Amino acid sequence: MNISRVTRLLQLLQTLQSGTGQDAEHLADACGVSRRTVFRDLESLKRAGVPVAFDTDGRRYRIDSDHFLPPTNLTVNEALAVLLLAADSEHLGSDPLRRAAGDAAAKIEASLPESMRERLAEIRAGVTLKPEATNPLTGKDEVYRLLLRANEVRRRVEVRYDCQTEYEQYATTLDPYHLLFHRRSWYVIGMSSHHKEVRTFNVGRIVSAEMLKTEFRIPRTFSVASYLGNAWRIMPGPEFAVHLRFEPLVAKNVSEVLWHATQQCDFAPDGTLDFRATVAGLSEIVWWVLGYGDQVEVLAPMRLRKMVAERTRRAAGRYHDV
């Protein structure tokens, strides 16, 4: 079951538990789906043991207000992991999925025995998670949810995109094959009518989105793993055998991190590190290399060596007066 359906079932469950009940039309509107989907979801809840009742006189569905999902018996370590990963509101920003996770973690914490809550509070005071900076998707909640729904019901989306590389906005019809969160932001991967191929779009740069009535199918040959291939992060391209040499000052730090699935690290007697990887596309790795400044040299491919050299010359030109 994918994330969008889980979210929808939870929303349906919450709607059924509130008030005196709702008819199928109102439930469909509340969940943003069709009546047919609502009926299917109601059956799923019933099969899961949720006592969904139907009032034949009022034509309404409801759940008794005293019915709750059974509590989960968490260990201290399990509860601590959930709260640390999801409930630290300082780092949640406005990412809709993280906010929902934070709300869920708060409810889990409230349901724990008081003795466990007190113990967790003491442990949490000595542990801090400091995640990387992320795109908070400010003002993009509706776009995010629309893409989730479109992926769920296999409907095309008309989007207007603010392209960073092309320095312009353009419209495209998108088949949203997959939503991906990577490092700092959410992305949607799918067939783009503008490019006539599968592309990756940053959700934060989608200016507007409208779900169309046209349906689409995800090709059987498509998978996120095969699409990304050996991309350094999320932008695939032609493959290159990359060879970098890091100075002793940073060599150990570089070797301790798994930067890429294909990387090989070999230390030389003088303390330098030879870093090798097969990378699909150079546009992302070039910025990683530049981050190490004079502590790294690109030995191959020559194309990457030239890219780093050109950007280094431009950077040096900004400081000619120093």
Side-chain angles (χ1 to χ4, degrees), residues 22-31 33 35 38-39 59 61:
Q22 299 282 357
D23 60 23
E25 289 290 346
H26 285 89
L27 291 175
D29 290 339
C31 298
V33 296
R35 281 168 50 93
V38 161
F39 289 135
R59 309 293 296 176
Y61 294 89

Side-chain angles (χ1 to χ4, degrees), residues 24-94:
E25 289 290 346
H26 285 89
L27 291 175
D29 290 339
C31 298
V33 296
S34 65
R35 281 168 50 93
R36 180 180 178 182
T37 300
V38 161
F39 289 135
R40 186 170 67 244
D41 288 346
L42 287 168
E43 287 300 316
S44 296
L45 291 179
K46 291 177 182 178
R47 287 196 299 271
V50 178
V52 178
F54 180 66
D55 181 0
T56 55
D57 294 331
R59 309 293 296 176
R60 292 171 178 267
Y61 294 89
R62 63 179 178 82
I63 298 175
D64 291 337
S65 58
D66 59 350
H67 174 79
F68 296 94
L69 294 177
T72 302
N73 296 319
L74 298 176
T75 66
V76 171
N77 285 338
E78 290 169 344
L80 178 64
V82 170
L83 298 181
L84 286 176
L85 291 172
D88 192 347
S89 59
E90 179 183 353
H91 303 301
L92 294 181
S94 62

Side-chain angles (χ1 to χ4, degrees), residues 279-297:
V279 179
L282 301 177
S283 61
E284 293 176 315
I285 192 174
V286 65
W287 299 110
W288 180 72
V289 173
L290 288 167
Y292 284 95
D294 64 351
Q295 295 300 302
V296 61
E297 179 184 1

Side-chain angles (χ1 to χ4, degrees), residues 158-175:
E158 184 73 21
V159 303
R160 186 156 193 82
Y161 192 69
D162 189 3
C163 185
Q164 186 179 36
T165 56
E166 298 179 22
Y167 303 103
E168 65 175 1
Q169 291 187 8
Y170 60 79
T172 185
T173 300
L174 176 66
D175 296 355

Side-chain angles (χ1 to χ4, degrees), residues 8 14 40 51 75 78 82 88 101 104 107 127 138 184 201 206 211 235 241 277 282 305:
R8 193 179 69 242
Q14 185 178 29
R40 186 170 67 244
T75 66
E78 290 169 344
V82 170
D88 192 347
K107 293 176 182 178
V127 180
T138 304
R184 294 182 174 84
F201 297 88
I206 295 179
M211 190 185 303
M235 303 299 293
L282 301 177
R305 185 177 175 89

Side-chain angles (χ1 to χ4, degrees), residues 1 19 23 70 94 112 117 131 140 160 223 230 237 259:
M1 187 181 294
D23 60 23
S94 62
L112 296 175
R117 290 203 304 270
K140 303 296 182 180
R160 186 156 193 82
S223 73
N230 283 329
W259 301 98

